[in-house]
């Protein structure tokens, strides 16, 4: 089981979850109208609906009724975030098939290719989310610091930071997946059999055994003159 692939899967799936939360959130931009804490009113706007709430606990949301009247940058961010979520979903599926600890996906070589594909998909998902959140944030900051913009000005919402964090996790997980295939190309370690050190006793036994064999093969040396006395 590869620890690198497990870490990559955690980063990728965590980033995918963050992208889903950011896409569904209504806090892409937020503003506060307050003369006091008790009469404070918050206005949120997301990719799909506008919401308003007050300090008394009242909260109401109104969806965008038509896509043709929505501003162009919101439509672009919608497309980018939907693409990011879709790529993150397929990246998670490919990652499960490409991990060494699973029994599906074929041989190790095939699993390495699938893991690399999962890494590329995760990186593309992170780039889509990063682009969408940055485009939305650029529009908010441009309007906020524009002295000629007289309409309601908004600030960065929590969904943008969640989207950036999810994009970063997806990119990190994808990079780790791409580099994890190098583990499959490492040459296997050669095994060496260890027979143990030859003891002195065994070597002497062999030596004396050899002398005995030598003596038996020369019977003429065993019967000298003293044997007959």
């Amino acid at each position: 089981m590869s620890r690198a692939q497990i870490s990559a899967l955690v980063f990728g799936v965590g980033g995918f979850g963050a992208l889903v939360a950011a896409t569904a959130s209504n806090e892409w931009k937020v503003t506060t109208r307050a003369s006091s804490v008790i009469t404070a009113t918050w206005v949120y706007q997301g990719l799909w609906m506008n919401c308003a709430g007050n300090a008394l606990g009242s909260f109401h949301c109104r969806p965008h009724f038509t896509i043709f009247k929505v501003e162009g940058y919101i439509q672009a961010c919608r497309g980018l975030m939907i693409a990011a979520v879709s790529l993150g979903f397929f990246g998670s599926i490919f990652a499960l098939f490409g991990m060494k600890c699973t029994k599906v996906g074929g041989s190790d070589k095939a699993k390495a290719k699938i893991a690399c594909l999962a890494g590329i998909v995760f990186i593309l998902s992170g780039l889509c989310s990063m682009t969408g959140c940055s485009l939305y944030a650029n529009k908010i900051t441009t309007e906020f610091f524009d002295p000629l913009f007289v309409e309601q000005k908004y600030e960065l919402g929590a969904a943008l930071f969640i989207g950036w964090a999810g994009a970063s996790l997806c990119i990190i997980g994808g990079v780790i997946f791409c580099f994890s295939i190098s583990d499959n190309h490492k040459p296997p370690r050669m095994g060496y059999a260890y027979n143990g050190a030859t003891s002195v006793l065994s070597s002497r036994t062999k030596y004396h055994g050899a002398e005995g064999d030598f003596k038996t093969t020369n019977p003429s040396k065993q019967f000298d003159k003293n044997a007959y006395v």
Side-chain angles (χ1 to χ4, degrees), residues 188-196:
R189 295 183 177 180
M190 299 297 295
Y192 296 96
Y194 177 71
N195 296 325

Side-chain angles (χ1 to χ4, degrees), residues 57-117:
S58 177
F59 194 81
H60 179 72
C61 293
R62 179 180 62 84
H64 301 301
F65 294 107
T66 176
I67 63 173
F68 297 106
K69 292 184 180 180
V70 178
E71 298 183 49
Y73 76 96
I74 297 180
Q75 296 183 6
C77 292
R78 281 180 175 180
L80 289 169
M81 294 306 295
I82 291 174
V85 171
S86 301
L87 290 171
F89 173 77
F90 287 110
S92 301
I93 299 298
F94 293 150
L96 292 176
F97 282 96
M99 295 189 68
K100 296 180 180 179
C101 57
T102 58
K103 296 182 180 180
V104 293
S107 62
D108 291 342
K109 187 175 182 180
K111 282 179 174 290
K113 293 180 180 180
I114 296 174
C116 184
L117 177 61

Side-chain angles (χ1 to χ4, degrees), residues 3-19 92 122 165-177:
R3 294 183 179 179
Q5 289 186 342
I6 295 176
S7 301
L9 183 64
V10 171
F11 280 116
V13 175
F16 168 68
L19 296 186
S92 301
F122 272 131
S168 302
L169 291 176
C170 286
I171 293 175
I172 293 173
V175 171
I176 296 175
F177 260 121

Side-chain angles (χ1 to χ4, degrees), residues 2-199:
S2 177
R3 294 183 179 179
Q5 289 186 342
I6 295 176
S7 301
L9 183 64
V10 171
F11 280 116
V13 175
F16 168 68
L19 296 186
V20 173
T23 304
S25 176
N26 297 319
E27 297 186 23
W28 281 65
K29 60 182 180 181
V30 58
T31 185
T32 304
R33 302 171 183 173
S35 57
S36 65
V37 178
I38 300 177
T39 60
T41 301
W42 293 274
V43 179
Y44 307 95
Q45 184 173 350
L47 298 178
W48 314 104
M49 58 181 63
N50 299 329
C51 300
N54 55 33
L56 300 178
S58 177
F59 194 81
H60 179 72
C61 293
R62 179 180 62 84
H64 301 301
F65 294 107
T66 176
I67 63 173
F68 297 106
K69 292 184 180 180
V70 178
E71 298 183 49
Y73 76 96
I74 297 180
Q75 296 183 6
C77 292
R78 281 180 175 180
L80 289 169
M81 294 306 295
I82 291 174
V85 171
S86 301
L87 290 171
F89 173 77
F90 287 110
S92 301
I93 299 298
F94 293 150
L96 292 176
F97 282 96
M99 295 189 68
K100 296 180 180 179
C101 57
T102 58
K103 296 182 180 180
V104 293
S107 62
D108 291 342
K109 187 175 182 180
K111 282 179 174 290
K113 293 180 180 180
I114 296 174
C116 184
L117 177 61
I120 295 174
V121 172
F122 272 131
I123 292 174
L124 291 177
S125 175
L127 291 177
C128 288
S129 176
M130 189 74 70
T131 304
C133 294
S134 299
L135 178 63
Y136 202 98
N138 179 67
K139 181 67 176 179
I140 296 173
T141 53
T142 301
E143 293 177 351
F144 188 86
F145 292 104
D146 187 4
L148 302 178
F149 187 77
V150 295
E151 298 182 10
Q152 178 64 50
K153 295 184 178 182
Y154 292 87
E155 298 181 5
L156 302 180
L160 292 175
F161 299 99
I162 296 175
W164 280 323
S168 302
L169 291 176
C170 286
I171 293 175
I172 293 173
V175 171
I176 296 175
F177 260 121
C178 290
F179 281 102
S180 67
I181 62 174
S182 60
D183 296 337
N184 296 326
H185 299 289
K186 291 182 179 180
R189 295 183 177 180
M190 299 297 295
Y192 296 96
Y194 177 71
N195 296 325
T198 304
S199 63

